[in-house]
């Protein structure tokens, strides 16, 4: 591998190495209402909030 090829690889890889993980941000109640509101307008219940929390927890686990 030539020096030029190595430099090109470094140029391509460096931004990937500097990638910073973003902090997990869960859904707000308003976002959940927007999702389930079409099915069940009104306030979200404890069951719905807990269901979304479990989904978020599983996604967080799979992505960290």
């Amino acid at each position: 591998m030539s020096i030029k090829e190595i430099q090109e690889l470094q140029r391509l890889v460096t931004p990937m190495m500097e990638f910073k993980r973003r902090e997990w941000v869960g859904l707000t109640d308003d976002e959940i209402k927007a999702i389930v509101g079409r099915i069940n307008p009104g306030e979200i219940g404890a069951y719905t909030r807990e269901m979304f929390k479990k989904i978020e927890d599983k996604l967080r686990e799979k992505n960290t």
Side-chain angles (χ1 to χ4, degrees):
M1 186 175 277
S2 73
I3 291 179
K4 200 168 204 157
E5 290 171 321
I6 292 171
Q7 289 171 335
E8 179 63 14
L9 282 173
Q10 285 177 326
R11 186 186 70 75
L12 295 171
V13 171
T14 300
M16 290 184 249
M17 293 172 60
E18 293 172 354
F19 175 76
K20 183 179 177 184
R21 280 206 131 148
R22 292 177 14 177
E23 183 178 334
W24 177 267
V25 178
L27 295 170
T28 65
D29 284 353
D30 287 338
E31 290 168 327
I32 293 172
K33 286 178 194 175
I35 294 168
V36 298
R38 297 178 196 109
I39 301 164
N40 182 20
E43 293 298 312
I44 58 171
Y47 173 81
T48 302
R49 184 71 194 120
E50 184 62 25
M51 179 180 63
F52 273 81
K53 183 185 177 316
K54 288 180 185 276
I55 292 168
E56 289 175 335
D57 290 345
K58 182 53 78 173
L59 288 170
R60 183 182 303 112
E61 176 187 316
K62 293 176 74 91
N63 289 289
T64 54

